[in-house]
Amino acid sequence: MTTAEPGTRRHELAAFLRSRRERITPEQVGLPRGRRRRTPGLRREEVAHLSAVGVTWYTWLEQARDIQVSPQVLDALAGALLLDPTERSHLFALAAQSDLHPETACPAVTPALRELLHQLEPVPACVQNSRYDFLAYNRTFGRLYCDLDALPREDRNTLWLAFTDEDFRAAFGDLPEVLRAMVGKLRASMAEHLAEPAWKALVQRLQDASPEFRELWDRRDVADLAGRAKVIRNAQVGVLHLEHTNLWLGPAAGPRLGTYVPLDEESRARLERLLELAVRDEAQATRETQAGQPTREAQAAQAAREAHASGDAQPAREAQAALTAA
């Protein structure tokens, strides 16, 4: 197999970006259409603003200039252009970069499995990979520890939330024990992925963010993935007594379906209440969208534009993270 010349790769990347930009309507990303729009889809400056990069830099990228593009920028562009998992993978391949946050690369997350997650409600259930990213989950699980839907995609990881998200941490009465077990499980799982960029990036990100994680990681303890009874303090419905079980979706200890079955009637009733709250909020969001009120996507896009107008890059990145998560 031959490797494409850098110039060929750059032109393919430029053409792909243009094609994806031209297929998106302004309304899809919360932008006004305006009266004099002649460009099909989004304008270059709109993509630049949504992805929190410079307009000139993005223009050069579409012109196949010889410039370097980082995985972080590619991640932002993938979100701004609403790329699906296959398109996202193609984008990173054309740029010759490794995706630090691969989107649901697990072939086990099929439409049938998503329907199963739905049918299991009110029992919380999710699909995770061996790196503890949440690949899919039902509405009850989305509210079990914290509001997962409100988080950027790259933050939907058990380890990251356990060491950085106060709502997630507050759900555990035995937090120190839980953290030790989580780090031990990650250490054991990583043995087969030591050279993979996504794994190394996750560990580095945790080390940068949490002295608590660094201390536990340096112990080099390992733990197995056995399920166990859990006591979860949900902020909306109270204490839940649940039995956690892992069901592997393939022959290897990789993607798995996790279920949280209630151990008593009170916990079951509280899970039913949690589902009711999720359904209510879902219906409210639908009503607001139909009434023309701004969605979370539109609000995030507006925040990104305002941040760019003020010259403050950090809020722009935060706004884009909210946009790509929705």
Side-chain angles (χ1 to χ4, degrees):
M1 180 177 66
T2 59
T3 302
E5 291 294 327
T8 301
R9 189 182 294 276
R10 288 197 303 271
H11 280 88
E12 285 292 327
L13 175 62
F16 182 65
L17 288 171
R18 285 195 300 272
S19 71
R20 300 304 90 180
R21 171 172 61 82
E22 291 172 354
R23 71 173 183 172
I24 300 173
T25 65
E27 293 84 356
Q28 286 179 278
V29 291
L31 297 176
R33 171 167 289 278
R35 295 182 178 179
R36 296 188 175 183
R37 180 174 293 271
R38 297 176 181 175
T39 303
L42 297 179
R43 300 185 179 100
R44 285 175 175 171
E45 57 267 27
E46 291 170 334
V47 175
H49 286 312
L50 289 171
S51 54
V53 302
V55 177
T56 300
W57 188 93
Y58 179 76
T59 300
W60 287 352
L61 195 59
E62 277 204 10
Q63 291 174 345
R65 300 275 190 101
D66 187 7
I67 58 176
Q68 296 296 317
V69 56
S70 70
Q72 290 77 15
V73 168
L74 291 171
D75 180 63
L77 288 173
L81 295 170
L82 307 180
L83 301 188
D84 66 25
T86 301
E87 292 168 330
R88 179 186 174 92
S89 177
H90 186 61
L91 174 69
F92 277 83
L94 289 176
Q97 293 284 359
S98 297
D99 190 351
L100 300 182
H101 306 291
E103 173 77 359
T104 318
C106 168
V109 184
T110 61
L113 181 54
R114 292 184 185 277
E115 178 61 22
L116 174 61
L117 291 174
H118 178 73
Q119 292 294 329
L120 286 171
E121 292 175 343
V123 172
C126 68
V127 178
Q128 284 184 287
N129 59 19
S130 55
R131 199 172 55 249
Y132 294 91
D133 297 319
F134 294 116
L135 305 180
Y137 48 86
N138 61 17
R139 290 174 292 186
T140 324
F141 187 87
R143 300 294 187 90
L144 185 60
Y145 295 103
C146 61
D147 187 355
L148 284 180
D149 291 336
L151 298 175
R153 182 182 59 251
E154 62 268 23
D155 289 354
R156 297 177 196 171
N157 174 279
T158 299
L159 274 294
W160 179 254
L161 295 174
F163 284 96
T164 66
D165 187 280
E166 291 304 319
D167 291 337
F168 194 91
R169 292 165 64 89
F172 297 98
D174 54 346
L175 183 62
E177 178 184 344
V178 168
L179 294 181
R180 286 194 297 272
M182 285 183 178
V183 174
K185 292 175 182 179
L186 180 67
R187 171 73 74 177
S189 297
M190 192 170 180
E192 298 180 2
H193 306 275
L194 292 175
E196 295 181 24
W199 286 76
K200 293 190 290 186
L202 172 62
V203 172
Q204 186 62 58
R205 189 182 184 209
L206 285 164
Q207 289 176 324
D208 292 343
S210 173
E212 192 175 18
F213 175 83
R214 289 199 300 271
E215 191 274 329
L216 291 172
W217 187 252
D218 288 343
R219 294 182 186 181
R220 298 187 177 275
D221 294 337
V222 293
D224 62 31
L225 301 179
R228 65 184 183 92
K230 292 180 178 286
V231 179
I232 298 173
R233 297 174 177 173
N234 184 273
Q236 293 182 290
V237 299
V239 176
L240 299 164
H241 296 268
L242 309 173
E243 180 73 31
H244 175 217
T245 302
N246 283 316
L247 302 172
W248 270 262
L249 301 176
R256 57 190 177 273
L257 171 68
T259 59
Y260 295 74
V261 176
L263 291 174
D264 53 56
E265 288 304 314
E266 185 174 19
S267 294
R268 175 171 289 278
R270 289 177 175 178
L271 287 178
E272 290 173 351
R273 174 57 179 161
L274 190 61
L275 177 59
E276 290 173 1
L277 294 173
V279 171
R280 181 200 64 187
D281 291 347
E282 188 176 71
Q284 177 64 25
T286 300
R287 288 194 296 270
E288 290 176 355
T289 300
Q290 293 173 345
Q293 297 182 24
T295 62
R296 283 192 301 173
E297 295 94 328
Q299 292 170 356
Q302 179 62 29
R305 294 193 297 274
E306 293 173 354
H308 273 283
S310 67
D312 193 343
Q314 181 60 30
R317 287 191 292 269
E318 293 174 353
Q320 176 58 30
L323 176 62
T324 58

